[in-house]
């Protein structure tokens, strides 16, 4: 069993209007793990990170870092350690590098009262690949280099956990991919425990050993990226990771009957009951129906989106349900075309009991 580097239990926080921004949140991160905290804008990610760092006090709950209780909302016996006593490193969304200090002075900032500052700064700059830039001013650096300065500064005091708030959002798309690769390599090399916040699912799946999907102040699901994708536990998770459609179906002995016909997989739901099956764009294939054939169309193309390598077509099935399908960029089909769509169920179905 690995050591737990960070533990949050029943964490809650609300601001002036009293509505909880973080709502009884439970979370644990093991040593050396990278956790992606993923959720839509406004769901409470930054507030959660600020609670961990000690920039906010919780209304309820407790936080442990490296086995030490750093916050515990417990009436008059409350515990609260300020950020500088918490052994956390923080990389802010805008990096918050001091513009009037050199690169080296920035990295030295958190360790300026410690011995061997110079050699530690040099070690950190070597580590992030900026060994020769110690005397430069931040304004002379590229976005990717500034990001590495922020990382070196946060890691210099050897924090027990590194917290990063949307660390790549200020970089343009091409640089973002390169930098997140570098950051992953650096975190692995130093066996750093890290929590990073993002609203970008691709980034979360790439960087996170575990992904925690957050919605309205709570963690809806946490686990390895593949599990979150293949076995979403809620509709929200299914939709947020990998853009799901939901297709209504009727449970029978032999499978689920949908507007695309029988999906021959028996599921653990009452025969005769209604379910909504999760269906993603790679789960749907289709044939165009030209007039001369005798097959009946079960839907038609209602929109198309060109995304470079692929087209994503939206099909409206005869019962009004809409599903998406991803196709090669050479398969160009006009809107309005009648189609016979098929559900390719080559993996276990994910379904939810229908609300109706
Ligand atoms: P996220 O990082 O997921 O986008 P935040 O944690 O920044 O979400 O914010 C969640 C909600 O809390 C938002 O509605 C935001 O306006 C509110 N909020 C955050 N900080 C404060 C604050 N200091 N005072 C009042 N409301 C706040
Ligand atoms: Mg935020």
């Amino acid at each position: 069993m690995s050591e737990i580097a960070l533990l949050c239990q029943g964490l809650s926080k609300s601001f002036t209007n009293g509505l909880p921004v973080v709502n009884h949140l439970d979370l644990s991160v093991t040593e050396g793990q990278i956790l992606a905290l993923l959720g839509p804008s406004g769901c409470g990610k930054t507030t959660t990170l600020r609670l961990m760092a000690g920039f906010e006090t919780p209304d309820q709950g407790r936080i442990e870092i490296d086995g030490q209780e750093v916050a515990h909302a417990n009436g008059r016996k409350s515990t609260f350690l300020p950020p500088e006593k918490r052994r956390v490193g923080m990389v802010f969304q805008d990096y918050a590098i001091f513009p009037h200090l050199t690169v080296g002075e920035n990295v030295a900032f958190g360790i300026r009262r410690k011995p061997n500052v110079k050699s530690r700064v040099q070690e950190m700059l070597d580590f992030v690949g900026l060994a020769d830039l110690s005397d430069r001013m931040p304004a002379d650096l590229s976005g990717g280099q500034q990001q590495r300065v922020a990382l070196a500064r946060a890691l210099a005091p050897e924090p027990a956990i590194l917290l990063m708030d949307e660390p790549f959002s200020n970089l343009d798309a091409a640089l973002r991919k390169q930098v997140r690769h570098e950051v992953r390599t650096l975190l692995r090399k130093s066996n750093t425990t890290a929590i990073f916040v993002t609203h970008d699912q691709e980034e979360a799946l790439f960087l996170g050993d575990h992904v925690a999907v957050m919605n309205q102040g709570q963690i809806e699901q946490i686990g390895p990226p593949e599990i979150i994708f293949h076995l979403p536990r809620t509709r929200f998770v299914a939709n947020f990771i990998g853009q799901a459609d939901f297709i209504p179906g009727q449970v029978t002995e032999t499978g689920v009957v949908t507007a695309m016909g029988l999906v021959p997989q028996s599921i653990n739901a009452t025969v005769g009951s209604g379910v909504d099956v999760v269906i993603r764009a790679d789960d749907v294939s289709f044939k165009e129906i030209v007039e001369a054939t005798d097959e009946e169309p079960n839907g038609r193309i209602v929109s198309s989106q060109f995304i470079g390598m692929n087209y994503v077509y939206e099909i409206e099935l005869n019962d009004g349900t809409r599903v998406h399908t991803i196709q090669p960029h050479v398969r160009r089909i006009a809107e309005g075309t009648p189609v016979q769509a098929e559900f390719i169920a080559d993996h276990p179905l994910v379904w939810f009991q229908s609300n109706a």
Side-chain angles (χ1 to χ4, degrees):
M1 211 28 214
S2 356
E3 293 287 317
I4 289 179
L6 174 97
L7 183 69
C8 296
Q9 290 178 316
L11 209 56
S12 292
K13 177 73 181 174
S14 55
F15 294 105
T16 39
N17 71 359
L19 291 176
V21 166
V22 177
N23 195 0
H24 296 285
L25 180 136
D26 296 310
L27 184 65
S28 83
V29 185
T30 55
E31 218 174 275
Q33 197 175 54
I34 304 176
L35 176 81
L37 192 56
L38 172 69
S41 178
C43 75
K45 304 181 297 295
T46 294
T47 305
T48 303
L49 220 57
R50 289 172 59 80
L51 285 164
M52 293 168 181
F55 296 117
E56 303 284 356
T57 33
D59 300 333
Q60 283 178 54
R62 57 191 295 275
I63 304 172
E64 260 180 40
I65 291 173
D66 222 15
Q68 185 191 17
E69 190 171 83
V70 297
H72 189 175
N74 191 19
R76 284 200 296 170
K77 285 190 296 180
S78 291
T79 305
F80 185 79
L81 292 192
E84 64 275 13
K85 298 235 165 85
R86 286 198 182 193
R87 300 198 56 217
V88 295
M90 182 108 185
V91 175
F92 295 92
Q93 193 162 3
D94 60 359
Y95 312 146
I97 299 174
F98 305 117
H100 57 288
L101 299 182
T102 65
V103 166
E105 288 163 349
N106 264 281
V107 176
F109 190 80
I111 51 172
R112 58 198 185 286
R113 288 188 202 92
K114 301 239 165 86
N116 309 321
V117 175
K118 254 197 162 141
S119 63
R120 179 68 180 157
V121 168
Q122 201 51 49
E123 189 189 345
M124 291 317 298
L125 289 175
D126 280 344
F127 179 65
V128 298
L130 298 175
D132 303 328
L133 302 185
S134 183
D135 296 328
R136 294 276 191 89
M137 297 310 286
D140 300 333
L141 304 183
S142 70
Q145 289 170 327
Q146 291 184 18
Q147 152 76 258
R148 283 188 270 163
V149 173
L151 191 61
R153 184 180 64 185
L155 289 177
E158 298 187 75
I161 52 169
L162 178 70
L163 305 175
M164 298 185 283
D165 194 358
E166 307 262 4
F168 312 110
S169 60
N170 284 334
L171 305 171
D172 62 59
L175 195 57
R176 199 178 308 158
K177 284 204 168 150
Q178 183 199 327
V179 172
R180 77 186 186 199
H181 245 282
E182 288 172 6
V183 167
R184 183 168 77 165
T185 308
L186 290 173
L187 294 181
R188 285 271 174 269
K189 208 160 69 173
S190 50
N191 195 35
T192 301
T193 309
I195 299 176
F196 83 100
V197 154
T198 180
H199 63 272
D200 179 340
Q201 51 141 326
E202 186 190 312
E203 202 163 280
L205 297 177
F206 171 79
L207 252 170
D209 296 316
H210 275 194
V211 174
V213 183
M214 193 165 173
N215 183 25
Q216 298 185 335
Q218 294 182 320
I219 307 278
E220 291 221 351
Q221 189 170 358
I222 181 168
E226 290 87 350
I227 301 288
I228 300 277
F229 185 86
H230 292 300
L231 298 172
R233 273 212 301 260
T234 66
R235 286 170 194 259
F236 177 83
V237 173
N239 199 27
F240 198 72
I241 307 267
Q243 274 125 41
D245 291 310
F246 298 90
I247 178 169
Q250 204 70 32
V251 182
T252 69
E253 301 279 357
T254 49
V256 183
V257 177
T258 73
M260 280 186 278
L262 174 74
V263 186
Q265 253 190 54
S266 58
I267 63 170
N268 185 22
T270 314
V271 169
S273 68
V275 293
D276 292 326
V277 179
V278 172
I279 183 165
R280 292 197 168 100
D282 64 325
D283 295 330
V284 179
S285 70
F286 67 87
K287 280 189 299 210
E288 291 153 73
I289 300 298
V290 286
E291 279 165 56
T293 67
D294 52 9
E295 255 180 307
E296 280 296 312
N298 62 6
R300 63 190 175 91
I301 305 286
V302 288
S303 75
S304 71
Q305 192 191 357
F306 180 57
I307 56 169
M309 199 92 91
N310 297 96
Y311 277 105
V312 176
Y313 292 108
E314 191 179 11
I315 296 172
E316 185 174 281
L317 299 167
N318 289 347
D319 71 351
T321 306
R322 290 187 174 202
V323 295
H324 291 81
T325 169
I326 190 159
Q327 298 295 322
H329 60 93
V330 290
R331 192 172 183 200
R332 192 166 172 187
I333 294 161
E335 284 176 24
T337 305
V339 297
Q340 174 71 34
E342 193 188 345
F343 190 157
I344 334 162
D346 56 1
H347 52 77
L349 292 184
V350 175
W351 54 274
F352 299 97
Q353 211 74 57
S354 65
N355 297 325

